Coordinates of all heavy atoms in Angstrom, one line a residue:
Q128 N 39.2 7.2 -87.0 CA 39.8 7.2 -88.4 C 41.0 8.0 -88.5 O 41.9 7.6 -89.1 CB 38.8 7.7 -89.4 CG 37.6 6.7 -89.8 CD 36.9 7.2 -90.9 OE1 37.0 6.7 -92.0 NE2 36.0 8.1 -90.7
T129 N 41.1 9.1 -87.7 CA 42.3 9.9 -87.7 C 43.5 9.1 -87.1 O 44.6 9.0 -87.6 CB 42.1 11.1 -86.9 OG1 41.1 12.0 -87.5 CG2 43.4 12.0 -86.8
A130 N 43.2 8.4 -86.0 CA 44.2 7.6 -85.3 C 44.7 6.4 -86.2 O 45.8 6.1 -86.4 CB 43.7 7.0 -84.0
W131 N 43.7 5.8 -86.9 CA 44.0 4.7 -87.8 C 44.8 5.2 -89.0 O 45.8 4.5 -89.4 CB 42.7 4.1 -88.3 CG 42.9 3.0 -89.3 CD1 42.9 3.0 -90.6 CD2 43.0 1.6 -88.9 NE1 43.1 1.7 -91.1 CE2 43.2 0.8 -90.1 CE3 43.1 0.9 -87.7 CZ2 43.4 -0.6 -90.1 CZ3 43.2 -0.5 -87.7 CH2 43.4 -1.2 -88.9
Q132 N 44.5 6.3 -89.5 CA 45.2 6.9 -90.7 C 46.6 7.2 -90.3 O 47.6 6.9 -91.1 CB 44.5 8.1 -91.2 CG 45.2 8.8 -92.4 CD 44.5 10.0 -92.9 OE1 43.2 10.0 -93.1 NE2 45.2 11.1 -93.1
V133 N 46.8 7.9 -89.2 CA 48.2 8.3 -88.9 C 49.1 7.2 -88.6 O 50.3 7.2 -89.0 CB 48.2 9.3 -87.7 CG1 47.4 10.6 -88.1 CG2 47.7 8.8 -86.5
L134 N 48.5 6.1 -88.0 CA 49.4 5.0 -87.7 C 49.6 4.0 -88.9 O 50.7 3.6 -89.1 CB 48.8 4.2 -86.5 CG 49.0 4.9 -85.1 CD1 48.1 4.2 -84.1 CD2 50.4 4.9 -84.6
V135 N 48.5 3.7 -89.5 CA 48.6 2.7 -90.6 C 49.0 3.3 -91.9 O 49.9 2.7 -92.6 CB 47.2 1.9 -90.7 CG1 47.2 0.9 -91.8 CG2 46.8 1.3 -89.4
N136 N 48.3 4.3 -92.3 CA 48.6 4.9 -93.6 C 49.8 5.8 -93.7 O 50.5 5.8 -94.7 CB 47.3 5.7 -94.2 CG 46.1 4.8 -94.3 OD1 46.2 3.5 -94.3 ND2 44.9 5.4 -94.4
D137 N 50.0 6.6 -92.7 CA 51.0 7.6 -92.7 C 52.3 7.1 -92.1 O 53.4 7.4 -92.6 CB 50.6 8.9 -92.0 CG 49.4 9.5 -92.7 OD1 49.4 9.5 -94.0 OD2 48.5 10.1 -92.0
A138 N 52.3 6.4 -91.0 CA 53.5 6.0 -90.2 C 53.8 4.6 -90.5 O 55.0 4.2 -90.2 CB 53.3 6.2 -88.7
H139 N 52.9 3.8 -91.1 CA 53.2 2.4 -91.5 C 53.8 1.7 -90.3 O 54.8 0.9 -90.5 CB 54.3 2.4 -92.7 CG 53.8 3.2 -93.9 ND1 52.8 2.9 -94.7 CD2 54.3 4.5 -94.3 CE1 52.7 3.8 -95.7 NE2 53.5 4.8 -95.4
L140 N 53.1 1.8 -89.2 CA 53.6 1.1 -87.9 C 53.6 -0.3 -88.1 O 52.6 -0.9 -88.6 CB 52.7 1.6 -86.8 CG 53.2 1.1 -85.4 CD1 54.5 1.8 -85.0 CD2 52.1 1.4 -84.3
K141 N 54.7 -0.9 -87.6 CA 54.9 -2.4 -87.6 C 55.0 -3.0 -86.3 O 55.6 -2.4 -85.3 CB 56.0 -2.8 -88.6 CG 55.8 -2.4 -90.0 CD 57.0 -2.8 -90.8 CE 56.9 -2.3 -92.3 NZ 56.8 -0.8 -92.4
S142 N 54.7 -4.2 -86.1 CA 55.0 -5.0 -84.9 C 56.5 -4.9 -84.5 O 57.4 -5.1 -85.4 CB 54.6 -6.4 -85.0 OG 54.9 -7.2 -83.8
G143 N 56.8 -4.7 -83.2 CA 58.2 -4.6 -82.8 C 58.7 -3.3 -82.8 O 59.8 -3.0 -82.2
Q144 N 58.2 -2.3 -83.5 CA 58.6 -0.9 -83.5 C 58.2 -0.2 -82.2 O 57.3 -0.7 -81.4 CB 58.0 -0.2 -84.7 CG 58.6 -0.6 -86.0 CD 58.2 0.2 -87.2 OE1 57.1 0.6 -87.3 NE2 59.1 0.4 -88.1
T145 N 58.8 1.0 -82.0 CA 58.4 1.8 -80.8 C 57.8 3.1 -81.3 O 58.3 3.8 -82.2 CB 59.7 2.2 -80.0 OG1 60.3 0.9 -79.5 CG2 59.3 3.0 -78.8
V146 N 56.7 3.5 -80.7 CA 56.0 4.7 -81.1 C 55.8 5.6 -79.9 O 55.4 5.1 -78.8 CB 54.6 4.4 -81.8 CG1 53.7 3.6 -80.9 CG2 53.8 5.7 -82.2
L147 N 56.0 6.8 -80.0 CA 55.8 7.9 -79.0 C 54.5 8.6 -79.5 O 54.5 9.3 -80.5 CB 57.0 8.8 -78.9 CG 56.8 10.0 -78.0 CD1 56.5 9.7 -76.5 CD2 58.1 10.9 -78.1
I148 N 53.5 8.7 -78.6 CA 52.3 9.4 -78.9 C 52.1 10.5 -77.9 O 52.0 10.3 -76.8 CB 51.1 8.4 -78.8 CG1 51.2 7.2 -79.8 CG2 49.8 9.1 -79.0 CD1 50.2 6.2 -79.5
H149 N 52.2 11.7 -78.4 CA 52.0 12.9 -77.6 C 50.5 13.2 -77.5 O 49.7 13.3 -78.5 CB 52.7 14.1 -78.3 CG 54.1 14.1 -78.3 ND1 54.9 13.9 -77.1 CD2 55.1 14.1 -79.3 CE1 56.2 13.8 -77.4 NE2 56.3 14.0 -78.8
G150 N 49.9 13.3 -76.3 CA 48.5 13.6 -76.1 C 47.7 12.3 -76.1 O 46.7 12.3 -76.7
G151 N 48.3 11.2 -75.5 CA 47.6 10.0 -75.6 C 46.3 9.8 -74.9 O 45.6 8.8 -75.1
A152 N 46.0 10.7 -74.0 CA 44.6 10.6 -73.3 C 43.5 11.4 -74.0 O 42.4 11.3 -73.5 CB 44.9 11.1 -71.9
G153 N 43.8 12.0 -75.1 CA 42.7 12.7 -75.9 C 41.9 11.8 -76.6 O 42.1 10.6 -76.7
A154 N 40.9 12.4 -77.4 CA 40.0 11.6 -78.2 C 40.7 10.7 -79.3 O 40.6 9.6 -79.3 CB 39.0 12.4 -78.8
V155 N 41.6 11.4 -80.0 CA 42.4 10.8 -81.0 C 43.5 9.9 -80.4 O 43.7 8.7 -80.8 CB 43.0 11.7 -82.0 CG1 43.9 11.0 -83.0 CG2 41.9 12.5 -82.8
G156 N 44.2 10.4 -79.4 CA 45.2 9.7 -78.7 C 44.8 8.4 -78.2 O 45.5 7.3 -78.2
A157 N 43.6 8.3 -77.5 CA 43.2 7.1 -76.9 C 43.0 6.0 -78.0 O 43.3 4.8 -77.7 CB 41.8 7.3 -76.2
Y158 N 42.5 6.4 -79.1 CA 42.4 5.3 -80.2 C 43.8 4.9 -80.8 O 44.0 3.8 -81.0 CB 41.6 5.8 -81.4 CG 40.0 5.8 -81.1 CD1 39.4 7.0 -80.9 CD2 39.4 4.7 -80.9 CE1 38.0 7.0 -80.7 CE2 38.0 4.7 -80.6 CZ 37.3 5.8 -80.5 OH 36.0 5.8 -80.3
A159 N 44.7 6.0 -80.8 CA 46.0 5.7 -81.3 C 46.7 4.7 -80.4 O 47.5 3.8 -80.9 CB 46.8 7.0 -81.5
V160 N 46.6 4.9 -79.1 CA 47.3 4.0 -78.1 C 46.7 2.5 -78.4 O 47.6 1.6 -78.4 CB 47.0 4.4 -76.7 CG1 47.5 3.4 -75.7 CG2 47.8 5.8 -76.4
Q161 N 45.5 2.4 -78.5 CA 44.9 1.1 -78.7 C 45.3 0.5 -80.0 O 45.7 -0.8 -80.0 CB 43.3 1.2 -78.7 CG 42.8 1.6 -77.3 CD 41.3 1.8 -77.3 OE1 40.6 0.7 -77.2 NE2 40.9 3.0 -77.4
F162 N 45.3 1.2 -81.1 CA 45.7 0.6 -82.4 C 47.2 0.3 -82.3 O 47.6 -0.9 -82.9 CB 45.5 1.7 -83.5 CG 44.0 1.9 -83.8 CD1 43.6 3.2 -84.2 CD2 43.1 0.9 -83.8 CE1 42.3 3.4 -84.5 CE2 41.8 1.1 -84.1 CZ 41.4 2.4 -84.5
A163 N 48.0 1.1 -81.8 CA 49.4 0.8 -81.7 C 49.7 -0.5 -80.9 O 50.6 -1.3 -81.3 CB 50.2 2.0 -81.2
H164 N 49.1 -0.6 -79.8 CA 49.2 -1.7 -78.9 C 48.8 -3.0 -79.6 O 49.5 -4.0 -79.7 CB 48.4 -1.6 -77.7 CG 48.4 -2.8 -76.8 ND1 49.4 -3.2 -76.0 CD2 47.4 -3.6 -76.5 CE1 49.1 -4.3 -75.3 NE2 47.9 -4.6 -75.6
Q165 N 47.7 -3.0 -80.3 CA 47.2 -4.1 -81.1 C 48.1 -4.4 -82.2 O 48.2 -5.6 -82.6 CB 45.8 -3.8 -81.6 CG 44.7 -3.8 -80.5 CD 43.5 -3.1 -80.9 OE1 43.2 -2.8 -82.2 NE2 42.6 -2.6 -80.0
A166 N 48.8 -3.5 -82.8 CA 49.8 -3.7 -83.8 C 51.0 -4.4 -83.4 O 51.9 -4.8 -84.2 CB 50.1 -2.5 -84.6
G167 N 51.2 -4.5 -82.0 CA 52.4 -5.2 -81.5 C 53.6 -4.2 -81.3 O 54.7 -4.6 -81.1
A168 N 53.3 -2.9 -81.3 CA 54.4 -1.9 -81.1 C 54.6 -1.7 -79.6 O 53.7 -1.8 -78.8 CB 54.0 -0.6 -81.8
K169 N 55.7 -1.2 -79.2 CA 55.9 -0.6 -77.9 C 55.4 0.8 -77.9 O 55.8 1.6 -78.8 CB 57.5 -0.7 -77.6 CG 57.8 0.0 -76.2 CD 59.2 0.0 -75.9 CE 59.5 0.7 -74.6 NZ 60.9 0.6 -74.3
V170 N 54.5 1.1 -76.9 CA 53.8 2.4 -77.0 C 54.3 3.3 -75.8 O 54.1 2.9 -74.6 CB 52.3 2.1 -76.9 CG1 51.5 3.5 -77.0 CG2 51.8 1.2 -77.9
I171 N 54.7 4.4 -76.1 CA 55.2 5.4 -75.1 C 54.2 6.6 -75.2 O 53.9 7.0 -76.3 CB 56.6 5.9 -75.3 CG1 57.6 4.7 -75.3 CG2 57.0 6.9 -74.1 CD1 59.0 5.1 -75.6
V172 N 53.7 7.1 -74.1 CA 52.6 8.1 -74.2 C 53.0 9.3 -73.3 O 53.5 9.1 -72.1 CB 51.3 7.6 -73.7 CG1 50.3 8.7 -73.5 CG2 50.7 6.5 -74.7
T173 N 52.8 10.5 -73.8 CA 52.9 11.7 -73.0 C 51.4 12.1 -72.7 O 50.5 12.2 -73.5 CB 53.7 12.8 -73.6 OG1 53.0 13.3 -74.7 CG2 55.0 12.4 -74.0
A174 N 51.2 12.5 -71.4 CA 49.9 13.0 -70.9 C 50.1 13.5 -69.5 O 51.2 13.6 -69.0 CB 48.9 11.8 -70.9
A175 N 49.0 13.9 -68.8 CA 49.1 14.3 -67.5 C 49.0 13.2 -66.4 O 48.5 12.1 -66.8 CB 47.9 15.2 -67.2
S176 N 49.6 13.4 -65.3 CA 49.7 12.3 -64.4 C 48.4 11.6 -64.0 O 48.4 10.4 -63.8 CB 50.4 12.8 -63.1 OG 49.6 13.9 -62.5
A177 N 47.3 12.4 -64.0 CA 46.0 11.9 -63.7 C 45.5 10.8 -64.7 O 44.6 10.1 -64.3 CB 45.0 13.0 -63.6
D178 N 46.1 10.8 -65.8 CA 45.7 9.9 -66.8 C 46.6 8.6 -67.0 O 46.4 7.9 -68.0 CB 45.6 10.6 -68.2 CG 44.5 11.7 -68.2 OD1 43.4 11.4 -67.8 OD2 44.9 12.8 -68.5
K179 N 47.5 8.5 -66.1 CA 48.4 7.4 -66.3 C 47.7 6.0 -66.3 O 47.9 5.1 -67.2 CB 49.5 7.4 -65.1 CG 50.5 6.2 -65.2 CD 51.6 6.3 -64.1 CE 52.6 5.2 -64.2 NZ 53.6 5.3 -63.1
D180 N 46.9 5.8 -65.4 CA 46.1 4.5 -65.3 C 45.2 4.3 -66.5 O 45.1 3.2 -67.1 CB 45.3 4.4 -64.1 CG 46.1 4.3 -62.7 OD1 47.3 3.9 -62.9 OD2 45.6 4.5 -61.7
Y181 N 44.7 5.5 -67.0 CA 43.8 5.4 -68.2 C 44.5 4.9 -69.4 O 44.1 4.0 -70.1 CB 43.1 6.8 -68.4 CG 42.2 6.9 -69.6 CD1 41.2 6.1 -69.8 CD2 42.6 7.9 -70.6 CE1 40.4 6.2 -70.9 CE2 41.8 8.0 -71.7 CZ 40.7 7.2 -71.9 OH 39.9 7.3 -73.0
V182 N 45.7 5.6 -69.7 CA 46.3 5.2 -71.0 C 47.0 3.9 -70.8 O 47.2 3.1 -71.8 CB 47.2 6.3 -71.4 CG1 46.6 7.6 -71.7 CG2 48.4 6.6 -70.3
S183 N 47.4 3.6 -69.6 CA 48.0 2.2 -69.3 C 47.0 1.1 -69.6 O 47.3 0.1 -70.2 CB 48.6 2.1 -67.9 OG 49.6 3.0 -67.7
G184 N 45.7 1.4 -69.2 CA 44.7 0.4 -69.5 C 44.3 0.3 -71.0 O 43.9 -0.8 -71.4
L185 N 44.7 1.3 -71.7 CA 44.4 1.3 -73.2 C 45.6 0.5 -73.9 O 45.4 0.1 -75.1 CB 44.3 2.7 -73.7 CG 43.1 3.5 -73.3 CD1 43.2 4.9 -73.9 CD2 41.9 2.8 -73.7
G186 N 46.8 0.3 -73.2 CA 47.9 -0.4 -73.8 C 49.2 0.3 -73.9 O 50.1 -0.1 -74.4
A187 N 49.3 1.5 -73.2 CA 50.6 2.2 -73.1 C 51.6 1.4 -72.3 O 51.2 0.9 -71.2 CB 50.4 3.6 -72.5
D188 N 52.8 1.2 -72.8 CA 53.9 0.5 -72.1 C 54.6 1.4 -71.2 O 55.1 1.0 -70.1 CB 54.8 -0.2 -73.1 CG 54.1 -1.2 -73.9 OD1 53.7 -2.2 -73.5 OD2 53.9 -0.9 -75.1
E189 N 54.8 2.6 -71.6 CA 55.6 3.6 -70.8 C 54.8 4.9 -70.8 O 54.1 5.3 -71.8 CB 56.9 3.9 -71.4 CG 57.8 2.7 -71.3 CD 59.2 3.0 -71.7 OE1 59.6 4.2 -71.9 OE2 60.1 2.1 -72.0
F190 N 54.9 5.6 -69.7 CA 54.1 6.8 -69.4 C 55.1 8.0 -69.1 O 55.9 7.8 -68.2 CB 53.0 6.7 -68.4 CG 52.2 7.9 -68.1 CD1 51.1 8.3 -68.8 CD2 52.6 8.7 -67.0 CE1 50.4 9.4 -68.5 CE2 51.9 9.9 -66.7 CZ 50.8 10.2 -67.5
I191 N 54.8 9.1 -69.6 CA 55.6 10.3 -69.3 C 54.7 11.5 -68.9 O 53.8 11.9 -69.7 CB 56.5 10.8 -70.5 CG1 57.4 9.7 -70.8 CG2 57.3 12.1 -70.1 CD1 58.2 9.9 -72.2
D192 N 54.8 12.0 -67.7 CA 54.0 13.2 -67.3 C 54.6 14.4 -67.9 O 55.8 14.8 -67.5 CB 54.0 13.2 -65.8 CG 53.2 14.4 -65.3 OD1 52.6 15.2 -66.1 OD2 53.1 14.6 -64.0
Y193 N 53.9 15.0 -68.8 CA 54.6 16.2 -69.6 C 54.7 17.4 -68.7 O 55.5 18.3 -68.9 CB 53.8 16.5 -70.9 CG 52.5 17.2 -70.6 CD1 52.4 18.5 -70.4 CD2 51.3 16.4 -70.7 CE1 51.2 19.2 -70.2 CE2 50.1 17.1 -70.6 CZ 50.0 18.4 -70.3 OH 48.8 18.9 -70.1
H194 N 54.0 17.4 -67.5 CA 54.1 18.5 -66.6 C 55.4 18.5 -65.9 O 55.9 19.6 -65.5 CB 53.0 18.4 -65.6 CG 51.6 18.8 -66.1 ND1 51.3 20.1 -66.6 CD2 50.4 18.1 -66.2 CE1 50.0 20.2 -67.0 NE2 49.5 19.0 -66.8
T195 N 56.0 17.3 -65.7 CA 57.1 17.2 -64.7 C 58.4 16.7 -65.5 O 59.5 16.9 -65.0 CB 56.8 16.3 -63.6 OG1 56.5 15.0 -64.1 CG2 55.6 16.7 -62.8
T196 N 58.2 16.1 -66.7 CA 59.4 15.4 -67.3 C 59.5 15.9 -68.7 O 58.4 15.9 -69.5 CB 59.1 14.0 -67.3 OG1 59.0 13.5 -65.9 CG2 60.4 13.2 -67.9
S197 N 60.7 16.3 -69.2 CA 60.9 16.6 -70.6 C 61.1 15.3 -71.3 O 62.0 14.5 -71.1 CB 62.2 17.4 -70.7 OG 62.6 17.6 -72.0
F198 N 60.2 15.0 -72.2 CA 60.1 13.7 -72.9 C 61.5 13.3 -73.5 O 62.0 12.2 -73.6 CB 59.0 13.5 -73.8 CG 59.0 14.4 -75.0 CD1 59.7 14.2 -76.1 CD2 58.3 15.6 -75.0 CE1 59.7 15.1 -77.2 CE2 58.2 16.5 -76.0 CZ 58.9 16.2 -77.1
E199 N 62.2 14.3 -74.2 CA 63.4 14.1 -74.9 C 64.5 13.6 -74.0 O 65.5 13.1 -74.4 CB 63.8 15.2 -75.8 CG 64.1 16.5 -75.0 CD 62.9 17.4 -74.9 OE1 61.8 16.9 -74.7 OE2 63.1 18.6 -75.1

Side-chain angles (χ1 to χ4, degrees):
Q128 284 190 102
T129 299
W131 181 267
Q132 177 181 315
V133 298
L134 286 168
V135 177
N136 299 345
D137 296 322
H139 307 286
L140 186 68
K141 298 178 179 63
S142 178
Q144 292 186 321
T145 299
V146 57
L147 171 62
I148 301 174
H149 294 303
V155 175
Y158 285 112
V160 171
Q161 294 178 81
F162 291 144
H164 174 71
Q165 292 162 13
K169 177 181 178 181
V170 185
I171 306 172
V172 170
T173 65
S176 60
D178 294 309
K179 182 177 181 179
D180 290 343
Y181 174 60
V182 297
S183 295
L185 296 175
D188 298 293
E189 294 184 13
F190 177 86
I191 301 169
D192 179 0
Y193 73 83
H194 287 297
T195 61
T196 305
S197 174
F198 62 84
E199 61 267 41

